[in-house]
Amino acid sequence: MIFGRSQRGKPPVEPVTLKILVAGGFGVGKTTLVGAVSEIRPLRTEELLTEAGRPVDDVSGVEEKHTTTVAMDFGRITLREDLVLYLFGTPGQERFWFMWDELSEGALGAVVLADTRRLEDCFAAVDYFERRSIPFVIGVNCFEGAARYPEETVRKALDLDADVPLVMCDARDRESVKDVLVGVVQHAMTQAAERRRAAAP
Ligand SMILES: Nc1nc2c(ncn2[C@@H]2O[C@H](COP(=O)(O)OP(=O)(O)O)[C@@H](O)[C@H]2O)c(=O)[nH]1
Ligand SMILES: [Mg+2]
């Protein structure tokens, strides 16, 4: 007896796994974001900020911050049964920039977290992804007490291309972070489709 394709039992789903980077300045909420959504205990390499690091690590505005991520944050989230994201938080401080090229290997896209009180802290990350054509989404982490700016103002200040999505978010909130991550996947897929179209004869 021969079964038609439509009658065949559904094969077990083997999820697609995608790698997403989480970047942005020091103290912007990267570790918080990964921790808020990860299904596995996030792997963190937090170190106490040492006195030696103090002149280098600018903690103004985040004075309550006593630890810093020296290597990276790592987490996992299942968006759908067939789609799993692995999150890699990039180290915020410039002296760890050498790790970015390794981390971005094979990444689908990135979230650049921004704090409107220190917007310039994410310029370097925006430059990095633009230069390498890695699709990214800006997540404006809305800290309480920080002034809220219209999206257009933030876009202008960051000199974003019109197609780069910008999402207001709360890095502590699972649903909010999920929206940002879905935004990255969708944006990356749109860009890939456009590139394919452009490359087609
Ligand atoms: N109020 C508020 N605090 C936040 C938010 N996100 C992060 N924080 C706090 O800001 C500090 C820096 O966050 P962290 O995730 O360590 O920043 P990272 O250096 O980018 O990894 C921590 O004390 C967090 O608890 C947020 O959305 N709102
Ligand atoms: Mg961190």
Side-chain angles (χ1 to χ4, degrees):
M1 181 149 163
I2 296 172
F3 289 100
R5 271 199 341 131
S6 59
Q7 292 158 291
R8 215 168 39 190
K10 261 172 94 180
V13 278
E14 191 54 49
V16 169
T17 58
L18 300 172
K19 176 178 177 181
I20 307 277
L21 303 179
V22 182
F26 177 66
V28 77
K30 299 178 296 292
T31 300
T32 305
L33 180 147
V34 173
V37 291
S38 187
E39 300 150 350
I40 51 177
R41 212 173 126 249
L43 175 71
R44 285 182 193 156
T45 323
E46 297 270 327
E47 295 282 304
L48 279 176
L49 286 177
T50 58
E51 281 305 319
R54 253 175 236 289
V56 189
D57 299 326
D58 174 15
V59 289
S60 58
V62 280
E63 284 86 357
E64 71 279 19
K65 193 170 161 59
H66 298 298
T67 59
T68 187
T69 309
V70 291
M72 61 171 188
D73 304 298
F74 173 73
R76 185 192 69 204
I77 174 172
T78 306
L79 277 190
R80 286 191 325 226
E81 62 169 345
D82 59 347
L83 182 58
V84 173
L85 304 185
Y86 283 98
L87 306 177
F88 291 78
T90 54
Q93 301 101 306
E94 282 165 26
R95 61 183 188 275
F96 295 113
W97 268 88
F98 67 93
M99 294 177 69
W100 280 51
D101 290 334
E102 295 289 331
L103 281 174
S104 60
E105 191 73 38
L108 174 83
V111 179
V112 176
L113 268 183
D115 176 352
T116 54
R117 297 169 299 182
R118 323 199 304 165
L119 210 50
E120 64 281 2
D121 288 6
C122 75
F123 291 176
V126 170
D127 285 345
Y128 183 92
F129 296 125
E130 274 182 356
R131 225 172 282 142
R132 286 164 185 78
S133 301
I134 296 173
F136 65 96
V137 166
I138 302 288
V140 178
N141 193 15
C142 301
F143 286 85
E144 7 0 271
R148 302 291 149 101
Y149 296 95
E151 180 180 330
E152 257 329 291
T153 311
V154 182
R155 298 188 76 88
K156 273 222 186 83
L158 291 177
D159 193 21
L160 292 183
D161 287 343
D163 65 339
V164 175
L166 184 144
V167 194
M168 303 292 168
C169 70
D170 183 334
R172 299 162 300 176
D173 183 272
R174 185 179 160 84
E175 291 307 312
S176 175
V177 172
K178 260 171 112 171
D179 287 346
V180 177
L181 296 173
V182 169
V184 175
V185 174
Q186 285 175 340
H187 180 53
M189 284 165 74
T190 307
Q191 289 225 319
E194 273 164 19
R195 270 181 219 163
R196 269 199 305 275
R197 218 174 303 126

